[in-house]
Amino acid sequence: QVLLVESGGGLVQPGGSLRLSCAVSGGTFRSYSMGWFRQAPGKEREIVAATRWTGGSIYYATAVKGRFTMSGDNAKNTVYLQMNSLKPEDTAVYYCAATRSRLITSSYSLRNMYDYWGQGTQVTVSS
């Protein structure tokens, strides 16, 4: 059973930065396709970034491209989401998700393709 635990959320001013962490246990993160999603109040959960790690690049949603970076640390078995130039519209609960399936790019945004989810971490961008 894979367990995902997010951390690193908080309150930040517009233009600021945060780094979210997703600690993975019960499996090696590079063996999974993984994604970061977010859900703002009253909105559906949406893809932010995703990758299958091998044989493909990291996908970023248009709204975050150039500002967010997804990466992983093998030694810590942890996946990160570095968020720069944050905007109020980035305010949401952020979730990491994983699946053993080798997702293709067109499937990254499909929530039902992911088998494991973290509990989420709140990010609030406000002055």
Side-chain angles (χ1 to χ4, degrees):
Q1 181 74 10
V2 173
L3 182 65
L4 309 176
V5 180
E6 301 99 333
S7 61
L11 173 64
V12 63
Q13 292 187 341
S17 297
L18 280 175
R19 188 178 76 162
L20 305 184
S21 300
C22 175
V24 180
S25 58
T28 302
F29 76 84
R30 291 198 185 272
S31 298
Y32 297 81
S33 296
M34 295 198 66
W36 284 98
F37 287 76
R38 67 185 181 185
Q39 187 167 17
K43 295 188 177 181
E44 290 193 355
R45 195 171 298 188
E46 62 178 6
I47 187 70
V48 175
T51 182
R52 58 180 179 266
W53 298 113
T54 59
S57 59
I58 298 176
Y59 165 85
Y60 295 98
T62 300
V64 307
K65 196 174 295 184
R67 299 188 297 122
F68 290 13
T69 303
M70 182 178 181
S71 63
D73 184 327
N74 292 337
K76 296 182 178 180
N77 206 28
T78 297
V79 178
Y80 300 101
L81 184 68
Q82 177 67 44
M83 306 186 296
N84 298 329
S85 302
L86 283 162
K87 305 175 181 180
E89 51 263 43
D90 295 318
T91 295
V93 178
Y94 284 71
Y95 300 89
C96 67
T99 175
R100 287 190 179 276
S101 300
R102 187 172 168 81
L103 296 181
I104 58 176
T105 302
S106 60
S107 297
Y108 284 152
S109 64
L110 302 177
R111 297 189 300 271
N112 62 352
M113 297 299 291
Y114 294 84
D115 303 309
Y116 306 101
W117 291 85
Q119 83 288 352
T121 186
Q122 175 71 46
V123 171
T124 302
V125 185
S126 174
S127 54

mmCIF file of all heavy atoms in Angstrom, residues 96-115:
data_model
loop_
_atom_site.group_PDB
_atom_site.id
_atom_site.type_symbol
_atom_site.label_atom_id
_atom_site.label_comp_id
_atom_site.label_asym_id
_atom_site.label_seq_id
_atom_site.Cartn_x
_atom_site.Cartn_y
_atom_site.Cartn_z
ATOM 1 N N CYS A 96 -0.986 15.391 -3.983
ATOM 2 C CA CYS A 96 -0.202 14.549 -4.878
ATOM 3 C C CYS A 96 -0.928 13.223 -5.048
ATOM 4 O O CYS A 96 -1.697 12.805 -4.180
ATOM 5 C CB CYS A 96 1.227 14.362 -4.394
ATOM 6 S SG CYS A 96 1.420 13.423 -2.889
ATOM 7 N N ALA A 97 -0.685 12.611 -6.184
ATOM 8 C CA ALA A 97 -1.381 11.377 -6.541
ATOM 9 C C ALA A 97 -0.423 10.465 -7.290
ATOM 10 O O ALA A 97 0.537 10.938 -7.911
ATOM 11 C CB ALA A 97 -2.598 11.693 -7.406
ATOM 12 N N ALA A 98 -0.703 9.156 -7.234
ATOM 13 C CA ALA A 98 0.176 8.189 -7.862
ATOM 14 C C ALA A 98 -0.622 7.012 -8.420
ATOM 15 O O ALA A 98 -1.701 6.683 -7.917
ATOM 16 C CB ALA A 98 1.209 7.678 -6.864
ATOM 17 N N THR A 99 -0.058 6.412 -9.448
ATOM 18 C CA THR A 99 -0.630 5.194 -10.013
ATOM 19 C C THR A 99 0.493 4.331 -10.559
ATOM 20 O O THR A 99 1.490 4.853 -11.051
ATOM 21 C CB THR A 99 -1.638 5.489 -11.129
ATOM 22 O OG1 THR A 99 -2.063 4.249 -11.713
ATOM 23 C CG2 THR A 99 -1.039 6.360 -12.207
ATOM 24 N N ARG A 100 0.321 3.010 -10.465
ATOM 25 C CA ARG A 100 1.305 2.095 -11.047
ATOM 26 C C ARG A 100 1.231 2.098 -12.567
ATOM 27 O O ARG A 100 2.168 1.670 -13.235
ATOM 28 C CB ARG A 100 1.076 0.676 -10.532
ATOM 29 C CG ARG A 100 1.474 0.456 -9.088
ATOM 30 C CD ARG A 100 1.455 -1.026 -8.737
ATOM 31 N NE ARG A 100 1.852 -1.259 -7.363
ATOM 32 C CZ ARG A 100 3.095 -1.351 -6.947
ATOM 33 N NH1 ARG A 100 4.087 -1.242 -7.819
ATOM 34 N NH2 ARG A 100 3.369 -1.571 -5.686
ATOM 35 N N SER A 101 0.137 2.564 -13.109
ATOM 36 C CA SER A 101 -0.025 2.598 -14.560
ATOM 37 C C SER A 101 0.961 3.583 -15.172
ATOM 38 O O SER A 101 1.233 4.636 -14.616
ATOM 39 C CB SER A 101 -1.454 3.003 -14.933
ATOM 40 O OG SER A 101 -2.390 2.087 -14.418
ATOM 41 N N ARG A 102 1.459 3.227 -16.321
ATOM 42 C CA ARG A 102 2.350 4.125 -17.056
ATOM 43 C C ARG A 102 1.460 5.025 -17.915
ATOM 44 O O ARG A 102 1.093 4.683 -19.034
ATOM 45 C CB ARG A 102 3.306 3.314 -17.916
ATOM 46 C CG ARG A 102 4.376 4.116 -18.592
ATOM 47 C CD ARG A 102 5.380 3.179 -19.271
ATOM 48 N NE ARG A 102 6.268 3.879 -20.160
ATOM 49 C CZ ARG A 102 7.342 4.533 -19.780
ATOM 50 N NH1 ARG A 102 7.647 4.609 -18.504
ATOM 51 N NH2 ARG A 102 8.114 5.141 -20.664
ATOM 52 N N LEU A 103 1.142 6.177 -17.331
ATOM 53 C CA LEU A 103 0.188 7.058 -17.988
ATOM 54 C C LEU A 103 0.793 7.708 -19.228
ATOM 55 O O LEU A 103 1.988 7.981 -19.289
ATOM 56 C CB LEU A 103 -0.282 8.143 -17.033
ATOM 57 C CG LEU A 103 -1.072 7.689 -15.805
ATOM 58 C CD1 LEU A 103 -1.481 8.897 -14.969
ATOM 59 C CD2 LEU A 103 -2.280 6.866 -16.202
ATOM 60 N N ILE A 104 -0.064 7.965 -20.186
ATOM 61 C CA ILE A 104 0.333 8.776 -21.325
ATOM 62 C C ILE A 104 -0.113 10.208 -21.051
ATOM 63 O O ILE A 104 -0.969 10.451 -20.195
ATOM 64 C CB ILE A 104 -0.268 8.245 -22.642
ATOM 65 C CG1 ILE A 104 -1.798 8.198 -22.556
ATOM 66 C CG2 ILE A 104 0.286 6.859 -22.954
ATOM 67 C CD1 ILE A 104 -2.471 7.775 -23.852
ATOM 68 N N THR A 105 0.476 11.112 -21.779
ATOM 69 C CA THR A 105 0.264 12.528 -21.491
ATOM 70 C C THR A 105 -1.215 12.895 -21.464
ATOM 71 O O THR A 105 -1.666 13.664 -20.603
ATOM 72 C CB THR A 105 1.009 13.386 -22.517
ATOM 73 O OG1 THR A 105 2.406 13.038 -22.475
ATOM 74 C CG2 THR A 105 0.852 14.866 -22.209
ATOM 75 N N SER A 106 -1.982 12.345 -22.369
ATOM 76 C CA SER A 106 -3.403 12.693 -22.457
ATOM 77 C C SER A 106 -4.202 12.178 -21.269
ATOM 78 O O SER A 106 -5.356 12.567 -21.082
ATOM 79 C CB SER A 106 -4.005 12.171 -23.762
ATOM 80 O OG SER A 106 -3.880 10.770 -23.833
ATOM 81 N N SER A 107 -3.609 11.306 -20.469
ATOM 82 C CA SER A 107 -4.305 10.754 -19.306
ATOM 83 C C SER A 107 -3.920 11.428 -18.000
ATOM 84 O O SER A 107 -4.537 11.153 -16.963
ATOM 85 C CB SER A 107 -4.022 9.249 -19.185
ATOM 86 O OG SER A 107 -4.506 8.551 -20.296
ATOM 87 N N TYR A 108 -2.920 12.273 -18.025
ATOM 88 C CA TYR A 108 -2.419 12.858 -16.780
ATOM 89 C C TYR A 108 -3.504 13.579 -16.003
ATOM 90 O O TYR A 108 -3.503 13.566 -14.775
ATOM 91 C CB TYR A 108 -1.283 13.827 -17.070
ATOM 92 C CG TYR A 108 0.037 13.185 -17.408
ATOM 93 C CD1 TYR A 108 0.955 13.849 -18.217
ATOM 94 C CD2 TYR A 108 0.387 11.944 -16.920
ATOM 95 C CE1 TYR A 108 2.182 13.295 -18.527
ATOM 96 C CE2 TYR A 108 1.620 11.369 -17.226
ATOM 97 C CZ TYR A 108 2.508 12.053 -18.027
ATOM 98 O OH TYR A 108 3.722 11.492 -18.339
ATOM 99 N N SER A 109 -4.410 14.224 -16.690
ATOM 100 C CA SER A 109 -5.410 15.056 -16.014
ATOM 101 C C SER A 109 -6.610 14.274 -15.499
ATOM 102 O O SER A 109 -7.468 14.856 -14.825
ATOM 103 C CB SER A 109 -5.893 16.146 -16.971
ATOM 104 O OG SER A 109 -6.550 15.549 -18.079
ATOM 105 N N LEU A 110 -6.660 12.987 -15.783
ATOM 106 C CA LEU A 110 -7.832 12.187 -15.421
ATOM 107 C C LEU A 110 -7.691 11.665 -13.994
ATOM 108 O O LEU A 110 -6.900 10.774 -13.708
ATOM 109 C CB LEU A 110 -7.994 11.021 -16.398
ATOM 110 C CG LEU A 110 -8.145 11.426 -17.865
ATOM 111 C CD1 LEU A 110 -8.232 10.203 -18.755
ATOM 112 C CD2 LEU A 110 -9.330 12.332 -18.059
ATOM 113 N N ARG A 111 -8.469 12.230 -13.094
ATOM 114 C CA ARG A 111 -8.351 11.893 -11.675
ATOM 115 C C ARG A 111 -8.558 10.407 -11.424
ATOM 116 O O ARG A 111 -7.900 9.816 -10.551
ATOM 117 C CB ARG A 111 -9.346 12.702 -10.863
ATOM 118 C CG ARG A 111 -9.116 14.204 -10.925
ATOM 119 C CD ARG A 111 -9.993 14.931 -9.925
ATOM 120 N NE ARG A 111 -11.408 14.710 -10.146
ATOM 121 C CZ ARG A 111 -12.153 15.452 -10.940
ATOM 122 N NH1 ARG A 111 -11.606 16.436 -11.625
ATOM 123 N NH2 ARG A 111 -13.437 15.215 -11.058
ATOM 124 N N ASN A 112 -9.449 9.775 -12.171
ATOM 125 C CA ASN A 112 -9.754 8.368 -11.913
ATOM 126 C C ASN A 112 -8.650 7.424 -12.360
ATOM 127 O O ASN A 112 -8.729 6.215 -12.141
ATOM 128 C CB ASN A 112 -11.089 7.972 -12.551
ATOM 129 C CG ASN A 112 -11.078 8.114 -14.054
ATOM 130 O OD1 ASN A 112 -10.143 8.639 -14.631
ATOM 131 N ND2 ASN A 112 -12.125 7.644 -14.696
ATOM 132 N N MET A 113 -7.600 7.956 -12.984
ATOM 133 C CA MET A 113 -6.474 7.121 -13.381
ATOM 134 C C MET A 113 -5.498 6.911 -12.219
ATOM 135 O O MET A 113 -4.626 6.063 -12.298
ATOM 136 C CB MET A 113 -5.718 7.760 -14.551
ATOM 137 C CG MET A 113 -6.539 7.900 -15.817
ATOM 138 S SD MET A 113 -7.100 6.322 -16.476
ATOM 139 C CE MET A 113 -5.560 5.619 -17.036
ATOM 140 N N TYR A 114 -5.658 7.688 -11.168
ATOM 141 C CA TYR A 114 -4.724 7.622 -10.049
ATOM 142 C C TYR A 114 -5.303 6.757 -8.931
ATOM 143 O O TYR A 114 -6.469 6.905 -8.568
ATOM 144 C CB TYR A 114 -4.420 9.031 -9.530
ATOM 145 C CG TYR A 114 -3.676 9.870 -10.543
ATOM 146 C CD1 TYR A 114 -4.361 10.559 -11.538
ATOM 147 C CD2 TYR A 114 -2.289 9.965 -10.506
ATOM 148 C CE1 TYR A 114 -3.687 11.313 -12.484
ATOM 149 C CE2 TYR A 114 -1.604 10.727 -11.436
ATOM 150 C CZ TYR A 114 -2.303 11.398 -12.424
ATOM 151 O OH TYR A 114 -1.630 12.151 -13.358
ATOM 152 N N ASP A 115 -4.480 5.882 -8.372
ATOM 153 C CA ASP A 115 -4.931 4.952 -7.350
ATOM 154 C C ASP A 115 -4.690 5.449 -5.936
ATOM 155 O O ASP A 115 -5.368 5.010 -5.004
ATOM 156 C CB ASP A 115 -4.187 3.616 -7.513
ATOM 157 C CG ASP A 115 -4.376 3.033 -8.899
ATOM 158 O OD1 ASP A 115 -5.538 2.927 -9.334
ATOM 159 O OD2 ASP A 115 -3.362 2.697 -9.544
#
